Amino acid sequence: MAAGGFCKLPNGSVVVALNLPSPPGSGTAAAIGAGAAMGSATDCVRVLVLAQNRARALTRLRNLGMRAVYLRGNAAPPTPDEITAVLHHPDGLLWRTAPDSGVTPPEPTTELWHPIRALLRRPASQT
């Protein structure tokens, strides 16, 4: 089960944060740069979604091909920095590599947030 949580904003919208396994063939190591070490940190990603309610946030992820996405509980709600990042992004869908534990609030990292298109992009075929 993926760790995650949500936060309701004063205007009625919701920010949902989920730690999900990296989609197969997504090339997250290539998307986040050559300095990324292969390990547990690159196997999971933290995804942020801005939507009108929790159901619509999960539907946005399911429409992108992430079918088995569920939010049970509020174990890892989005931090204020994560809320600010998703509010200032035009798509309202962001990701970066998840912290190792996944349940505790993430420590400040130097990795920037990436648009969801970078996660779902298929790596170029080598010929």
Side-chain angles (χ1 to χ4, degrees), residues 31-116:
I32 60 177
M38 298 306 270
S40 64
T42 58
D43 294 337
C44 287
V45 294
R46 178 100 165 150
V47 179
L48 300 177
V49 184
L50 176 66
Q52 292 301 314
N53 55 43
R54 286 179 283 172
R56 286 188 181 181
L58 297 176
T59 300
R60 287 185 75 181
L61 290 175
R62 289 182 187 125
N63 288 342
L64 293 171
M66 299 179 191
R67 296 290 179 212
V69 176
Y70 298 99
L71 179 62
R72 294 191 176 109
N74 203 12
T79 63
D81 290 338
E82 291 175 337
I83 294 170
T84 302
V86 76
L87 285 175
H88 286 87
H89 194 271
D91 292 339
L93 278 166
L94 298 172
W95 72 275
R96 73 174 171 193
T97 54
D100 289 332
S101 64
V103 176
T104 60
E107 298 174 2
T109 60
T110 57
E111 182 184 359
L112 299 176
W113 290 97
H114 308 284
I116 199 73

